Amino acid sequence: MRLHHWLGLLPVLHAALGLAVANRVKPFVLGLPFFMAWIIGGVLLSAIVMACVYRLDPANRAPQGDEQ
Amino acid sequence: MNAALAVILLALLFALGAGLWARRGVRMDLAQWSVGGRGFSTVLVFVLMAGELYTTFTFLGASGFAYGYGGAALYVLVYTCLAFVMSYWLLPPIWRLARRHGAMTQPEVFAAAYGSPALGLLVSAVALLALVPYLVVQMKGLGLIVQVTSYGALSPAVAVIVGAVAMTAYVMVSGMHGSAVTAVVKDVLVLAVCAFLGFYLPAHFHGGVGAMFERIEAVRPGFLALPETGRNAAWFASAVAMSAIGMYLWPHAFSAVFTARSPRIFRRNAAVMPLYALVMLFSMFAGYAAVLNVPGLSGGRIDLALLELSIRAFDPWFVGVIGAAGMLTALVPGSIMLISASTLLTRSLYRPLRPNSSDAHLMWVSRLAVPLLMGVTVALTLTGGSSIVALLLIGFAVVAQLAPALLSALLAPSAAHHAGAMAGIVTGVGFVMATAIGGVALRDLMPWAPSWLQDLHPGFVGLILNATVMLASSRLRRRPALILPRPSP
C-alpha cells in the first residue's frame, strides 16, 4: 500500500465516523442540519482526496495511451 | 390539453427528432444500435456515465425519499461518492480484464475470468433481473409526471401506458445515438431545474433553506438525522455499502467501461464525479420543503412530493418545464437500460442458446425484445405500490450479488472457482428475492437478534451469505481442470 492507496480510505473513514458521531440535527451548520453538513463535507473531501490521489499515482504520469 | 402537457409533448417530440437526426447516415447494425459503434469520444462517454446518474431516481425518488424518511435519504450522496472513490481502483482492472479476454459485455467478462460459459449465462440472467425494477422506476416516474401535469385528467394507468409507448418508440427509432444527444440536453435542463427548485421552493414556502430546516426540526425533532429503529444507522451503513458496491455492476454502467479508450479516463473522472452527485442535494431540498406543506403522502405516493409542491407554487407552463425535465430523466436512462437489457437478452442469453443465428436475425430479436421487456415493465409498474427508492434498492440488492465473484476474480483468482461463484450468486440473489417478493423482513427471520442486525438491508445480508458460500464451496472442491490454461504470449 502506497500513500495514495491510504488516502482513498479517508472518505470511507469519514462516512463511518459520521454515523458514530454526526447523527444529530443540531447544531445547524450554515443553516444545514449537522448530519447533512457532515455528509456534504464528505463529498467535498472525496473530490479533493481523489484529485490528490490522481496527482500522486505514478500510473497517471506515463504518457497517454501506454496504459498497462 | 393544458399548457403543462403541451410543453412536455414538445420536449418529447424534440427527443424523438434528435434521435432520428443522430442516426442520419449511420448504417444500423447491432453494434451501432447498442454501443454506438464503440466510437464515442471521451466527453461523450463521460456525459453518458454521468447522465446515468440523473434518473427519475434523482428527480422524484431522492426528493420523495427525503420527504418520507428525512435524514436517511442522504445515503444516496454517500454511496455515489464512495462508488466513485472505488471506481478509481475498480474500473481500470475491469477494463484490462475485458481487453485481455476480448470481452465486450458484462457476462463475457465473468465467463472469461472463470472460464465458464454457464457463469456467463447466470450473470446475464441476474443482470436482467436487476434491470427490471430499475426500468419500473423510470416508468413509474414517467407515469407520475404525466398524471400530475395533466392535473388529474389522465389516470395513473393511462399515464404509464402513454409513457411506455413514448419510451419504446424512442428506443426503437434511435438506439444509443439518440441517448447521447438527448443526454446532453437533459443534463443541462435537469441541473438548472433541480438547482432552481432546491432553492426556490424552500424560499417560497419557508423563507429560506436554513429557516426550512429549523421549522422541520421544531415540528418533527430528529427527522433530519437517523432514527433509532427502522432506517437507522445500521440500515444506512448497509444500504451505502451495498449500493456503492453495486453501482458499477449495473449492466449499463458496466458497459460504459468498454466504450472508454484508456483506463486513465476513469481515474480522472473519480475526482470530478463526486461533485456531480451534489445535484441530488437540490432535489432533496425540494423534498424537505414539502414535508410540512404537503402532508399525508405515504408508501409509494411519497414520490409525488416534488410535483405536488410545484403545482402549488407555479403556473402550468412552468410545471410543464419541470415535467419535461422529469420526463427526460426517465426517458434517457430508461432507454439506455432498455437497450442494455435487450442486448443482454439477445447477445448473452439468446445467442449462446442458438449459436448459428445471423447478425440480421439477432438485430431483429434485439428490437423485438424492446416491446417485450416494456410489456413486462408496464405490468409490474401497474401492479406494484412501492416507492421509487424501495424499488431501486431491490435492483441494487440483486445486482450487487455479482460483486463477490468479480472482486475475487480481480483480487484473488485462486480463492474461488466457477462453481463456487455460481453457488454464491444463486444464494445471494435467492435470499434477496425471497425477502423482496415474500415480504419477509430480517426482523421476522431473526426475532432474537439485536436491533442493529435486524435493520440491516437484506441485500447486504445477501452479500455476506453470497461471499461465504462462494469461498466455502470453492474450498470444498478443488479448482476443476476445465479452466483453460492462459495462452502464453
Side-chain angles (χ1 to χ4, degrees), chain B residues 148-240:
Chain B
V148 171
T149 52
S150 70
Y151 290 84
L154 297 171
S155 74
V158 174
V160 166
I161 290 167
V162 169
V165 170
M167 193 188 283
T168 312
Y170 176 72
V171 168
M172 295 192 60
V173 202
S174 65
M176 196 67 141
H177 274 290
S179 309
V181 174
T182 325
V184 181
V185 178
K186 179 207 75 168
D187 281 1
V188 174
L189 188 62
V190 171
L191 189 68
V193 168
C194 270
F196 173 73
L197 290 182
F199 287 107
Y200 181 81
L201 290 177
H204 181 75
F205 287 100
H206 304 280
V209 172
M212 169 180 80
F213 284 129
E214 273 170 28
R215 280 176 68 179
I216 294 176
E217 174 65 6
V219 179
R220 298 178 66 175
F223 180 69
L224 297 167
L226 300 175
E228 286 294 313
T229 55
R231 284 171 175 75
N232 57 8
W235 178 89
F236 194 92
S238 59
V240 164

Side-chain angles (χ1 to χ4, degrees), chain A residues 4-5 8 11 19 23 25 28 31-33 35-36 39-40 43 46-47 50-51 53-54 57 59-60 62-64 67-68, chain B residues 71 74 78 81 85 88-89 96 99 210 213 217 222 224-226 233 236-237 263-264 267-268 270-271 274 278 281 285 288:
Chain A
H4 61 270
H5 293 119
L19 287 177
N23 182 16
V25 180
F28 288 91
L32 302 175
F35 187 54
M36 187 183 283
I39 285 172
I40 296 171
V43 174
S46 302
M50 292 322 285
V53 167
Y54 184 81
D57 191 346
N60 300 313
Q64 189 76 284
E67 298 279 353
Q68 273 322 310
Chain B
L74 291 163
V78 182
C81 215
V85 171
Y88 185 96
W89 288 280
R96 282 191 289 268
R99 198 176 64 160
F213 284 129
E217 174 65 6
L224 297 167
L226 300 175
F236 194 92
R264 190 182 296 189
R267 291 199 285 261
R268 197 182 307 131
L278 280 180
L281 197 64
F285 283 176
Y288 290 127

Side-chain angles (χ1 to χ4, degrees), chain B residues 22 44 60 99 117 119 152 207 281 309 311 343 357 365 373 407-408 462:
Chain B
L44 219 47
L60 301 182
R99 198 176 64 160
L119 178 62
L281 197 64
L309 195 63
I311 281 196
T343 312
S357 314
V365 173
L373 284 163
L407 291 179
S408 163

